[in-house]
Amino acid sequence: MKGLFKSKPRTPADVVRQTRELLIYVDLHYNSRDPKREEKMGELSKNIRELKSILYGNSESEPVAEFCTQLTQEFFKENTLRLLVVCLPKLSLETRKDATQVVANLQRQLVHSRLIASDYLETNKDLLDILVSGYENMDIALHYGAMLRECIRHQSIARYVLESEHMKKFFDYIQLPNFDIASDASATFKELLTRHKSTVAEFLSRNYDWFFAEFNSRLLSSPNYITRRQAIKVLGDMLLDRSNSAVMMRYVSSKDNLMILMNLLRESSKNIQIEAFHVFKLFAANKNKPPEIATILVTNRSKLLRFLAGFKIDKEDEQFEADKEQVIKEISAL
């Protein structure tokens, strides 16, 4: 890659334009017997690798801001992103990886202080439909998943995904038998529910009933240990966030939710117990406990106090000990 721009007088915009032409060719001729097909595929791989090198730099040099700007402007001038997403399944594994990194980097590139990737996605939201549905294709799931997480860095794009029917699909994707794909879907799900505070609060308030019915029955009560562990962590992150205080109050006023949390406290896994405790303490600390919540806590008081007395974590944690003491105090006082 030495002397990248000396040996090739092409500008970054030229590289994008040629990439676009090659993507159009691949899209139209992928299954054809055109003798030039292999050569064109090779050229396309080389071009995408060059785009990555311009955006990230290489072992010889750092990225040049001016070149990154030129590349970004040209990339979003026409439908290069759409072509790259649509043609991704037709590319080799290495080229898919390079393309994923290019798309990720472009989401962060500022042109005249604007994230023009966000503007482009605003008018091409159907691309998000393609990326989310990628979890159903094992070959491209991880590449589309990585692209999707970068796209939802933009608040308006995250809002689109949250408000779409796709949110319901995540409850299936998180439980796919392929561990890597399920974990990737879980990472995207967490990002959607924790990154943009005001948008998430709005989504949870408007979709409280169906969302938590699915979350409780399919994730927190899943037979799969990893699913339960990831779900209880996400639940804690959501409910302990100040912007979700109204949703948290609603959640801790439900006896069904309390029963699920108490079951999670009884898990053999210390990790699940600790995450469950962080949510359980919200039920105990609620000054306006509904009568049925207070009744359950009183009925189980001796068991809960015995459990809490012996509940330790591996490393010293003053905050955990203070929280535990407060919960013991609240339950004892009922």
Side-chain angles (χ1 to χ4, degrees):
M1 298 301 271
K2 199 172 181 184
L4 183 66
F5 299 109
K6 287 175 192 163
S7 59
K8 293 184 181 175
R10 295 190 304 166
T11 66
D14 290 336
V15 182
V16 176
R17 280 192 286 273
Q18 196 188 354
T19 303
R20 187 157 59 231
E21 285 161 17
L22 289 164
L23 285 166
I24 291 167
Y25 171 87
V26 168
D27 197 30
L28 296 173
H29 298 90
Y30 184 64
N31 291 316
S32 77
R33 294 187 177 178
D34 185 339
K36 289 185 180 174
R37 198 178 76 87
E38 285 307 309
E39 186 191 326
K40 297 272 191 188
M41 292 295 284
E43 275 182 57
L44 178 58
S45 294
K46 198 171 152 194
N47 268 34
I48 292 173
R49 197 160 56 244
E50 191 169 335
L51 291 176
K52 184 177 105 170
S53 182
I54 295 167
L55 290 168
Y56 287 92
N58 53 45
S59 57
E60 312 272 323
S61 59
E62 290 291 307
V64 177
E66 187 192 337
F67 292 159
C68 291
T69 300
Q70 286 174 24
L71 188 158
T72 307
Q73 281 177 308
E74 185 60 41
F75 200 92
F76 292 109
K77 204 179 278 179
E78 292 185 49
N79 281 330
T80 315
L81 180 62
R82 176 176 297 281
L83 284 161
L84 196 52
V85 168
V86 169
C87 293
L88 198 80
K90 299 169 182 175
L91 307 179
S92 69
L93 179 60
E94 278 310 306
T95 307
R96 283 178 200 165
K97 288 179 185 171
D98 289 340
T100 301
Q101 287 183 276
V102 167
V103 170
N105 188 295
L106 286 167
Q107 304 312 310
R108 303 161 191 237
Q109 289 289 343
L110 288 165
V111 176
H112 307 310
S113 306
R114 283 190 70 80
L115 287 165
I116 62 172
S118 177
D119 298 339
Y120 179 84
L121 288 168
E122 271 286 328
T123 53
N124 292 273
K125 290 193 179 121
D126 62 303
L127 282 179
L128 282 305
D129 305 338
I130 296 170
L131 293 178
V132 177
S133 301
Y135 281 119
E136 291 157 34
N137 180 336
M138 280 181 71
D139 295 335
I140 54 166
L142 299 180
H143 305 295
Y144 275 1
M147 286 183 184
L148 179 60
R149 276 191 300 285
E150 291 298 328
C151 292
I152 59 177
R153 291 171 67 85
H154 311 302
Q155 190 155 1
S156 61
I157 302 309
R159 183 182 294 115
Y160 170 75
V161 179
L162 281 167
E163 291 175 355
S164 71
E165 283 299 303
H166 296 309
M167 274 313 281
K168 291 180 179 168
K169 294 181 189 172
F170 275 97
F171 292 99
D172 295 320
Y173 297 155
I174 286 168
Q175 300 186 81
L176 285 167
N178 181 301
F179 175 76
D180 291 334
I181 297 174
S183 297
D184 195 275
S186 189
T188 305
F189 186 69
K190 181 182 179 181
E191 189 76 357
L192 280 164
L193 291 166
T194 52
R195 178 178 275 276
H196 303 288
K197 311 295 188 191
S198 58
T199 299
V200 172
E202 203 178 301
F203 165 76
L204 291 174
S205 297
R206 282 220 302 265
N207 297 275
Y208 182 94
D209 291 328
W210 77 258
F211 179 82
F212 283 108
E214 289 283 285
F215 197 96
N216 288 350
S217 65
R218 302 195 58 198
L219 304 185
L220 291 180
S221 307
S222 166
N224 184 300
Y225 160 73
I226 301 283
T227 303
R228 293 195 306 282
R229 182 177 166 180
Q230 290 173 334
I232 187 62
K233 175 81 174 79
V234 170
L235 181 67
D237 290 344
M238 287 191 295
L239 297 184
L240 288 159
D241 196 299
R242 279 192 195 136
S243 56
N244 294 327
S245 57
V247 168
M248 183 269 284
M249 288 307 295
R250 194 169 167 187
Y251 193 87
V252 302
S253 297
S254 157
K255 72 174 186 358
D256 292 339
N257 295 344
L258 176 58
M259 299 302 286
I260 289 169
L261 264 296
M262 285 168 66
N263 281 332
L264 290 168
L265 280 175
R266 293 167 58 196
E267 286 258 358
S268 55
S269 156
K270 183 57 73 96
N271 286 313
I272 289 182
Q273 284 185 329
I274 292 165
E275 295 300 341
F277 171 75
H278 289 310
V279 179
F280 174 76
K281 71 187 180 190
L282 299 172
F283 287 87
N286 181 7
K287 299 295 177 198
N288 302 306
K289 293 179 190 69
E292 61 265 36
I293 298 280
T295 302
I296 291 168
L297 293 174
V298 168
T299 306
N300 293 276
R301 177 160 45 200
S302 56
K303 282 184 195 166
L304 284 166
L305 293 176
R306 197 161 55 245
F307 165 76
L308 291 165
F311 190 32
K312 302 270 188 288
I313 56 175
D314 298 336
K315 57 182 189 295
E316 273 190 46
D317 185 330
E318 285 180 23
Q319 186 60 53
F320 171 77
E321 290 302 329
D323 287 349
K324 194 174 80 165
E325 207 173 302
Q326 185 61 34
V327 170
I328 290 171
K329 195 169 145 190
E330 294 284 351
I331 293 172
S332 302
L334 287 169

